[in-house]
Amino acid sequence: MIMRNIPNIITILRILLIPLFVAAFYMQAELNKFLAAALFTIAALSDWADGYLARRLDCVTPFGTFLDPVADKLIVVVALVMLVEEHASLWIAVPAMIIIGREIIMSGLREWMSSIGLSKIVEVSFIGKIKTWMQMVSIIILMLSNEEHLLLMNSGLLILYISAALALYSMSVYVLLAWNATKNSFY
């Protein structure tokens, strides 16, 4: 029974890392951003680990299927909000708005599709996984960079913009699939 819960425990631990990550980001210490980036990296790697273990141990559960993407969205949204506040830059605010807006729209779309028995239409795709990993990599880079490290900052921004573009693309695909599956219900 405990083996079946290991992936879910890892996911819950990822959520519990969020307050530690936030505290590290804002603490008044020389290496605070490095510590925050390290905690965020652990959370990002745990996303891979819980999914791998769930599949490897054949213990995918409905609770884990629900909680894993919620944990990802929570930590990414929290990190993006902190980065927008930290840098106070339109260059970070725009992709952050796109990514956060997409997540809100997708949550609503998934809830709607599930309520009408069509949840398979909006299951996570490979492009969605790439988008999530690119967001996480960009956040780690942006946490470690500042205006003095322009190359690092620009690299993080480029990856963030690519992930925002992937967010828009994947959302468009999901919305189109949902539209085609339900267009008769609009008339």
Side-chain angles (χ1 to χ4, degrees):
M1 186 65 170
I2 191 76
M3 293 301 281
R4 186 161 176 77
N5 289 325
I6 289 174
N8 290 344
I9 291 167
I10 293 171
T11 302
I12 291 167
L13 290 174
R14 182 163 68 251
I15 292 170
L16 295 176
L17 270 178
I18 295 172
L20 297 175
F21 157 67
V22 172
F25 189 85
Y26 286 110
M27 75 181 184
Q28 301 297 317
E30 188 174 326
L31 296 176
N32 69 319
K33 298 300 191 287
F34 180 78
L35 179 58
L39 289 169
F40 189 88
T41 301
I42 291 168
L45 292 173
S46 77
D47 177 37
W48 171 82
D50 63 15
Y52 173 79
L53 288 172
R55 288 183 298 278
R56 178 90 173 153
L57 300 172
D58 193 28
C59 58
V60 175
T61 65
F63 180 70
T65 302
F66 154 75
L67 194 60
D68 180 63
V70 170
D72 296 344
K73 287 168 185 35
L74 280 173
I75 198 156
V76 166
V77 168
V78 167
L80 286 173
V81 168
M82 291 187 324
L83 286 170
V84 167
E85 185 265 337
E86 172 83 5
H87 295 282
S89 164
L90 181 66
W91 295 107
I92 293 178
V94 169
M97 288 184 321
I98 291 168
I99 291 165
I100 293 168
R102 184 258 190 207
E103 297 308 336
I104 292 168
I105 290 168
M106 286 306 302
S107 293
L109 184 62
R110 284 194 171 104
E111 184 176 334
W112 175 45
M113 291 286 98
S114 180
S115 74
I116 60 174
L118 297 174
S119 60
K120 287 272 188 209
I121 290 173
V122 288
E123 284 184 341
V124 176
S125 67
F126 181 70
I127 197 86
K129 292 179 184 202
I130 292 171
K131 169 206 60 87
T132 299
W133 275 99
M134 290 189 82
Q135 287 170 4
M136 291 182 176
V137 168
S138 70
I139 288 167
I140 292 165
I141 292 170
L142 289 169
M143 268 190 245
L144 295 172
S145 67
N146 56 40
E147 286 71 27
E148 295 169 11
H149 302 105
L150 203 54
L151 181 60
L152 193 62
M153 180 76 129
N154 287 338
S155 299
L157 281 171
L158 176 63
I159 298 168
L160 185 65
Y161 272 85
I162 292 169
S163 67
L166 288 173
L168 286 175
Y169 171 75
S170 64
M171 180 187 71
S172 300
V173 169
Y174 289 128
V175 168
L176 187 59
L177 288 169
W179 172 266
N180 287 332
T182 61
K183 63 184 167 190
N184 291 335
S185 66
F186 288 103
Y187 304 109

